Amino acid sequence: MVYKTIIVESNQRMSDILSATLKKSGDFEFLSAYSDANSALGQSHIYKPNLFLIDVDNPDLLQMLPAFVDIFPNANILATMSNWNADIAYKAQKAFITGCILKPFKAEEVIDTINLYNRRGKYAPSRIISFFSPKGRSGRTTLASLLALNLAERTNESVALIDADLQFGDLPIFFDLEPSHTVVDATHDIKLLTPILFAPYFHNIKKNLWILSSPERPEYAELVETSNFIEVVRMAGHVFRYLLIDLPAGFNPISLEVSNFADTNFVIAMINTGLEVDHMRRTMDMFRERRAKHKVDYPIFTRVNPCTEEEREKLELRLGYPVTAIFPNEYNLVSVANSGRILYGLPNDTKLMQIINQLSTKIISGEL
């Protein structure tokens, strides 16, 4: 494919550099360069471009991105910036453009960036979903893993699992893998990375599904700064359409910041002694006090017996909050999930998997 390209760049020197780069490549047909959005919007039709490179270091051009998307809906639109700025990149993403790239760049970097964003899926901000539990052994990691698999299969968009249980995360065990990179590496390097350089930190385990693993040793958790971890999540949103983050049990800086940053939070407790409902209520109360008004937390109970609508309503009455879902106690399926065999699939006709499918449907539709 030849990219018929228009550059919109405020800095004339940079415009000349980018134009020269593209002219040397047989993959690009350089059409024209403009310094302002109005000229580009008014005159580009005659060229029938399929690629725009637009300077978002200029706030005025950043503001005009939706107009380019509206007038040229079939063109790839890359926002160009001199230094990675997560806030600007997010604003560009909200305009539903293809993606972002640092300048100056090599011609092959443009193609790699387009391919990365096309693999990602829908041109829109990522869905960031956290999985929190007041105490351990709640089924949190099992639920996150099953939902990630389901989303990857059903959406054909890229899905990433991030293991934020920094001391005792076991997502690698779930998928029987030994990753070459971990959260420690990603947070250490994040200020030097772009989406293209960042993507290989994730381990591809199946079509459309990747994992960023927890540290290899519990003491390495001290090397992960909360602010850098949030930057990892923000950049991962440019690489993956869905981010599912498995948080540590209990409240700590990572779990609080991530759950506050995520757009969807599942709060999970396993019914055992009955005190779990009290733990859940206290957690929901705390989150409600900390949250912005548009944030919603979704309580889920596992190992519920009997797993019926009547029992869900009883739990809801005791909790004082709507209960999003309840899961049955299916030892055999959970044993398979925890043994590294989860990638080989689980029976879809079980109640557990039916509820997973229902949750997945609501996430895809935006209901959750």
Side-chain angles (χ1 to χ4, degrees):
M1 176 180 180
V2 175
Y3 291 97
K4 303 175 68 175
T5 308
I6 285 179
I7 292 174
V8 187
E9 172 60 52
S10 305
N11 184 306
Q12 184 59 52
R13 183 171 181 275
M14 180 60 71
S15 180
D16 292 341
I17 292 172
L18 300 182
S19 301
T21 298
L22 298 182
K23 288 176 182 178
K24 294 177 183 177
S25 171
D27 294 313
F28 297 88
E29 179 186 345
F30 175 69
L31 301 176
S32 185
Y34 299 93
S35 60
D36 68 279
N38 289 328
S39 296
L41 288 169
Q43 300 175 25
S44 294
H45 277 293
I46 61 175
Y47 298 110
K48 298 182 179 179
N50 57 15
L51 174 62
F52 285 89
L53 297 166
I54 302 176
D55 166 32
V56 292
D57 290 336
N58 183 330
D60 293 333
L61 291 177
L62 174 64
Q63 194 172 18
M64 292 295 289
L65 288 178
F68 282 91
V69 173
D70 184 52
I71 296 173
F72 300 95
N74 298 319
N76 289 289
I77 299 175
L78 291 182
T80 66
M81 55 182 73
S82 300
N83 298 287
W84 185 261
N85 183 306
D87 291 329
I88 291 177
Y90 179 69
K91 290 176 182 177
Q93 196 176 51
K94 286 182 68 177
F96 301 100
I97 65 167
T98 306
C100 302
I101 188 171
L102 289 192
K103 58 188 176 185
F105 43 70
K106 298 178 181 178
E108 56 266 28
E109 291 175 335
V110 178
I111 296 173
D112 289 344
T113 299
I114 292 172
N115 290 338
L116 174 71
Y117 281 103
N118 285 338
R119 184 194 75 186
R120 178 182 178 273
K122 183 179 179 181
Y123 297 157
S126 61
R127 292 295 312 276
I128 301 175
I129 305 166
S130 76
F131 296 78
F132 175 84
S133 58
K135 290 193 173 185
R137 298 187 61 80
S138 65
R140 182 191 70 243
T141 302
T142 301
L143 176 59
S145 300
L146 293 175
L147 268 175
L149 281 164
N150 193 284
L151 287 168
E153 291 171 358
R154 294 183 60 192
T155 65
N156 203 31
E157 296 181 292
S158 59
V159 179
L161 275 163
I162 300 180
D163 196 341
D165 190 349
L166 301 181
Q167 289 187 318
F168 301 107
D170 48 16
L171 271 177
I173 298 173
F174 267 56
F175 293 95
D176 191 24
L177 60 89
E178 295 183 8
S180 55
H181 294 289
T182 71
V183 170
V184 174
D185 305 315
T187 54
H188 180 268
D189 299 342
I190 189 62
K191 294 180 181 178
L192 303 174
L193 300 175
T194 63
I196 284 291
L197 297 175
F198 179 58
Y201 283 69
F202 286 76
H203 187 98
N204 183 217
I205 58 173
K206 192 177 183 180
K207 183 183 178 183
N208 301 326
L209 183 60
W210 286 259
I211 284 182
L212 181 61
S213 295
S214 54
E216 296 174 355
R217 297 171 60 90
E219 60 266 33
Y220 293 167
E222 298 178 3
L223 302 175
V224 178
E225 296 182 13
T226 301
S227 59
N228 284 355
F229 187 87
I230 293 297
E231 290 306 310
V232 164
V233 173
R234 296 185 76 179
M235 186 169 287
H238 288 269
V239 181
F240 305 100
R241 178 73 175 93
Y242 294 91
L243 295 178
L244 283 66
I245 306 173
D246 187 23
L247 297 173
F251 297 104
N252 65 32
I254 288 284
S255 62
L256 287 172
E257 286 301 317
V258 172
S259 61
N260 201 43
F261 182 76
D263 57 73
T264 300
N265 297 288
F266 290 124
V267 186
I268 304 153
M270 179 181 288
I271 296 297
N272 188 13
T273 65
L275 293 175
E276 293 79 13
V277 178
D278 296 327
H279 299 156
M280 178 73 83
R281 184 186 309 109
R282 293 164 67 184
T283 300
M284 295 294 292
D285 288 345
M286 179 177 176
F287 278 160
R288 184 175 62 177
E289 292 172 2
R290 288 174 52 90
R291 292 283 190 263
K293 288 184 178 180
H294 67 280
K295 294 283 186 179
V296 181
D297 304 292
Y298 299 98
I300 291 175
F301 289 100
T302 61
R303 196 180 285 183
V304 177
N305 184 27
C307 188
T308 62
E309 176 62 18
E310 182 180 4
E311 191 66 20
R312 189 195 66 79
E313 291 175 354
K314 288 181 181 178
L315 288 168
E316 192 169 275
L317 188 62
R318 287 180 57 194
L319 180 64
Y321 289 92
V323 173
T324 302
I326 58 174
F327 284 86
N329 185 19
E330 297 192 21
Y331 284 104
N332 292 336
L333 289 183
V334 172
S335 176
V336 169
N338 295 351
S339 67
R341 291 177 285 161
I342 192 171
L343 278 176
Y344 300 106
L346 299 175
N348 288 320
D349 58 352
T350 64
K351 189 160 190 176
L352 183 148
M353 293 306 299
Q354 289 170 2
I355 299 171
I356 288 288
N357 197 60
Q358 291 168 7
L359 282 179
S360 177
T361 298
K362 292 180 179 180
I363 290 170
I364 295 168
S365 69
E367 185 177 343
L368 292 179

